[in-house]
Amino acid sequence: MSVYLDNAATSFPKPDTVYQAVDHAFREIGVGPGRGGYRRGLEAGRLIFRAREALAALIGAGDSERIVFTHSATESLNLAVTGLLRPGDHVVTTTMEHNSLARPLHLAEQLGVDVTWLKADGSGYIDSRQVADALRSATRLVALSHCSNVTGTIQPLAEIGAITRGAGVFLLVDAAQSAGSLPIDVKEMAVDLLAAPGHKGLLGPQGTGFLYVATGIELTPLLVGGTGGHSSGLDQPAAMPERLESGTLNTPGIAGLLAGIEFIETTGRGAIRSAEMARVAQLVAGLGTIPGVTLYGPADPERRGSVVSFTVAGRDPSQLGFHLDRDYDISVRVGLHCAPLAHQTIGTYPEGTVRVSPGWFTTARDIDLFLQALHTIVKR
């Protein structure tokens, strides 16, 4: 029986409605939005508008024109960082960031931006007072993940947002591990820029993502070109979201993303969060009975997302992942998870950890099978 436990990378399976929506967009619409005034083109435009509205409602954005579609959270973060920062600016970030944020910030450093890397504690947590103490007169941005993809640590966004808003500093949030399951309200949390992929907790297809850009923020486009409108001049249009959306949008992917969001709203984010917490609690309890296991991340379940990382004394994580896959058809993630600074912070660099990440479709039996298999491998 195949068991999939790598939902932090890509959620699988998807709701049936997601597959159906992608198929319908391919077969029945077949064209991109804004590329023709005929019925199919107009239908594509309406679909994209509905998806924007759904995402705006999901994160409390209000104005759906501030939702920019991208092909990934990585593209969204690059757009936010390179579109906002200039040489001489100061940025505050953390040592818990995925390379999708850490690498654009490192590149910005090389181009003259000053970056402060706040070190998290052993569980991956950043105290909001660290952020407050790091702010300077030149600080333009605080950038961090909502939930770590290594430890599952949930950062105190509302507290940090209150600090940045009071200081007149922008707040960029990587919501790759939180969108769809954790509560997000960009206005209440004082979030100015928020990036997320479609293929993780939002239950959509790969190749989809978005960036929320608060009113009053103007970003330099990452790409310029055709936008489906404003075609009379060579200048990139100033209107949002077209200013930041050059090229034909992934209409079938966005159709699937819309279906994923509708599934989440119908099911209830609270129900999804509760189910994931139950599976995480089952994992933590079961791993605690296996000799040699060290768990990483917060002990408080309310401060952890649906990610559990661990090591086993004397065993290479890649070896454990290999045997789980080959001998039991159980999929987990091993290694550094594209977040080397996070592993340096928690003391698991360079080997990394075994990461288990349940999703909505993960059952208690799936976790039992994983725990039984791991126990057998470790004992053997």
Side-chain angles (χ1 to χ4, degrees), residues 77-86 140 218-222:
L77 291 165
N78 273 266
L79 173 57
V81 170
T82 64
L84 181 69
L85 297 177
R86 299 292 178 267
R140 191 157 194 220
E218 294 187 6
L219 301 179
T220 301
L222 195 61

Side-chain angles (χ1 to χ4, degrees), residues 46 60 64 76 133 145 174 223 277 300 309 332 336 345 360:
R46 284 191 289 268
S64 66
S76 299
D133 291 343
S145 58
D174 175 359
L223 297 171
M277 288 182 70
D300 181 356
S309 277
V332 298
L336 296 177
T345 300
W360 168 251

Side-chain angles (χ1 to χ4, degrees), residues 109-198:
E109 269 188 309
Q110 295 174 320
L111 297 175
V113 173
D114 189 9
V115 180
T116 297
W117 301 83
L118 299 179
K119 186 173 181 179
D121 66 17
S123 66
Y125 191 75
I126 292 290
D127 192 300
S128 60
R129 289 172 294 185
Q130 292 175 264
V131 176
D133 291 343
L135 298 181
R136 308 174 189 166
S137 59
T139 306
R140 191 157 194 220
L141 181 70
V142 171
L144 77 166
S145 58
H146 188 186
C147 175
S148 168
N149 74 310
V150 174
T151 60
T153 310
I154 300 171
Q155 305 296 358
L157 268 195
E159 294 178 19
I160 294 171
I163 291 168
T164 55
R165 180 155 292 177
V169 173
F170 295 129
L171 176 60
L172 166 61
V173 173
D174 175 359
Q177 299 299 329
S178 59
S181 58
L182 297 181
I184 296 175
D185 189 308
V186 292
K187 292 184 178 178
E188 287 188 3
M189 294 176 165
V191 174
D192 300 292
L193 297 149
L194 184 137

Side-chain angles (χ1 to χ4, degrees), residues 22-23 42 49 60 80 83 102 115 138 149 156 172 189-190 205 224 256 267 285 331 359 375:
V22 173
D23 186 72
L42 295 175
F49 175 74
V115 180
N149 74 310
L172 166 61
M189 294 176 165
V224 296
T267 305
S331 302
H375 193 280

Side-chain angles (χ1 to χ4, degrees), residues 172-262:
L172 166 61
V173 173
D174 175 359
Q177 299 299 329
S178 59
S181 58
L182 297 181
I184 296 175
D185 189 308
V186 292
K187 292 184 178 178
E188 287 188 3
M189 294 176 165
V191 174
D192 300 292
L193 297 149
L194 184 137
H199 67 100
K200 299 180 190 282
L202 295 179
L203 305 177
Q206 294 100 323
T208 59
F210 75 95
L211 176 68
Y212 161 72
V213 183
T215 302
I217 297 178
E218 294 187 6
L219 301 179
T220 301
L222 195 61
L223 297 171
V224 296
T227 59
H230 307 279
S231 300
S232 60
L234 292 178
D235 290 330
Q236 186 74 359
M240 288 283 286
E242 292 87 351
R243 176 169 177 76
L244 304 176
E245 285 184 349
S246 291
T248 302
L249 293 177
N250 178 6
T251 303
I254 294 171
L257 175 56
L258 172 59
I261 296 166
E262 290 173 342

Side-chain angles (χ1 to χ4, degrees), residues 304-367:
R304 183 196 287 269
S306 191
V307 173
V308 177
S309 277
F310 68 92
T311 55
V312 179
R315 308 299 286 271
D316 191 301
S318 61
Q319 179 192 50
L320 296 173
F322 170 77
H323 285 293
L324 285 166
D325 180 37
R326 186 192 68 177
D327 301 339
Y328 299 95
D329 197 12
I330 297 174
S331 302
V332 298
R333 183 75 179 270
V334 299
L336 296 177
H337 320 117
C338 299
L341 296 180
H343 284 279
Q344 291 174 22
T345 300
I346 65 174
T348 53
Y349 186 87
E351 291 83 7
T353 61
V354 179
R355 185 185 73 186
V356 183
S357 49
W360 168 251
F361 293 102
T362 303
T363 66
R365 176 171 168 75
D366 291 335
I367 302 301

